[in-house]
Amino acid sequence: MATHLLLIDCPDEPGLVYTISGIVFHHGFNVVSNHEFVDPTTGHFFMRTAVTGAANPEAMAATLRQRLPTGAGVRLASTEPRPIVLLVTKEPHCIGDLLLRHDYGDLPARILAVVGNHDVLRPLVERFDVPFHLVGHEGKTRAEHEAAMLEVIDGYAPEYLVLAKYMRVLSPGFVARYEHWILNIHHSFLPAFVGARPYHQAFERGVKMVGATAHIVTDDLDTGPILHQSVEPVDHAYTAADMARAGRDIERQVLATALRLLLEERVFLHHNRSVVFA
């Protein structure tokens, strides 16, 4: 029997879990895992439930929409690998890690292609039999460059875009095209050290830990909903280069973890924050 993910968010009210589980049972499905949370500051309810059964899941979802509070979000998702496209510039550590995980079946995704604004990473990408597209930005306006990128990306119809150390700021128009579906890795522990050269900023401040942050891309630089973060201790003996080296290891792990959370539909976005059922 197929497994379906039931994703619900709505204003909280008494008896929601009872109502939902009753509808699931009535439509012939069995709950095999469940996560729920009520945000105490907004009174909003979130639920991720995996169900199995041979019945019609769309009928179940339709009943839920009728019975749940007005404005409820009810969505069905598959557990199959999701199609994604990766964007890169020159740094190999994040893209190399994702390609290796994908090659060994350790990532619930289908990497359809990699798009880069430099050709440096083509040999690495093609080693894994993944198409690489060079869309250079030199001599183009930002609008022209992004239009050329979207022409390539849209041809693959991905569900997510992953900025695997893609080092150009995306315009609001580009972000709107894939709103809430672009994942970025930032090489610092946001909200500290936003923007360029964060490890040099951290070194100058004498920090005692470095970190990385994976977040959803929005129009405002490095301020989108945070999905996952991690840190590593450093001390006064670390140079900026040492901090950057430690940071690259953290970036790999944080990006891979955040991407898995997205692909497995464990993330709800709400008011520029995230609810993550890890």
Side-chain angles (χ1 to χ4, degrees):
M1 291 185 291
T3 299
H4 305 277
L5 294 176
L6 179 61
L7 307 164
I8 297 173
D9 74 284
C10 63
D12 189 33
E13 64 178 34
L16 272 179
V17 175
Y18 177 81
T19 299
I20 294 167
S21 58
I23 292 171
V24 169
F25 175 77
H26 175 76
H27 280 271
F29 290 93
N30 181 49
V31 173
V32 293
S33 73
N34 183 65
H35 299 82
E36 60 195 69
F37 172 71
V38 176
D39 187 332
T41 61
T42 64
H44 208 78
F45 172 85
F46 304 88
M47 188 172 183
R48 177 190 185 274
T49 304
V51 302
T52 59
N56 182 356
E58 294 294 345
M60 174 182 64
T63 303
L64 285 165
R65 294 186 186 101
Q66 294 171 358
R67 297 277 302 278
L68 294 182
T70 302
V74 178
R75 188 163 64 89
L76 289 168
S78 168
T79 58
E80 294 297 313
R82 318 297 285 277
I84 65 174
V85 167
L86 311 181
L87 274 59
V88 298
T89 295
K90 293 182 178 180
E91 296 186 57
H93 57 289
C94 284
I95 182 68
D97 180 71
L98 294 179
L99 288 168
L100 188 62
R101 291 173 187 267
H102 180 259
D103 195 60
Y104 276 83
D106 192 33
L107 195 66
R110 292 184 291 115
I111 298 179
L112 304 179
V114 175
V115 180
N117 62 319
H118 292 274
D119 215 29
V120 175
L121 297 176
R122 180 189 294 274
L124 171 62
V125 173
E126 292 183 345
R127 195 177 305 169
F128 289 88
D129 295 324
V130 173
F132 181 91
H133 297 269
L134 172 63
V135 183
H137 63 275
E138 294 185 6
K140 297 185 178 73
T141 66
R142 183 163 73 157
E144 291 170 341
H145 181 235
E146 290 188 346
M149 289 176 59
L150 285 170
E151 184 176 357
V152 174
I153 293 167
D154 289 349
Y156 286 99
E159 291 192 25
Y160 294 102
L161 300 183
V162 181
L163 310 187
K165 304 298 294 181
Y166 181 72
M167 305 306 289
R168 285 175 62 84
V169 177
L170 298 173
S171 71
F174 189 106
V175 173
R177 187 76 158 263
Y178 286 92
E179 187 175 14
H180 300 153
W181 307 115
I182 307 177
L183 177 65
N184 184 45
I185 182 68
H186 185 76
H187 39 300
S188 79
F189 196 66
L190 293 174
F193 312 125
V194 173
R197 295 169 64 83
Y199 293 117
H200 289 79
Q201 296 180 52
F203 173 74
E204 290 168 3
R205 287 287 289 117
V207 301
K208 297 300 179 279
M209 61 177 62
V210 294
T213 300
H215 66 95
I216 297 297
V217 175
T218 61
D219 291 348
D220 296 321
L221 181 65
D222 298 333
T223 61
I226 292 171
L227 305 192
H228 188 59
Q229 295 177 294
S230 187
V231 295
E232 181 175 313
V234 298
D235 61 31
H236 60 274
Y238 277 67
T239 66
D242 293 331
M243 290 182 180
R245 190 177 305 110
R248 284 192 289 270
D249 289 337
I250 305 171
E251 289 168 22
R252 281 192 287 262
Q253 179 268 321
V254 168
L255 180 59
T257 299
L259 180 56
R260 179 177 295 279
L261 291 170
L262 273 181
L263 296 170
E264 293 180 351
E265 297 284 0
R266 297 182 180 276
V267 176
F268 289 83
L269 303 180
H270 189 62
H271 294 173
N272 206 47
R273 297 179 61 198
S274 65
V275 172
V276 179
F277 293 123

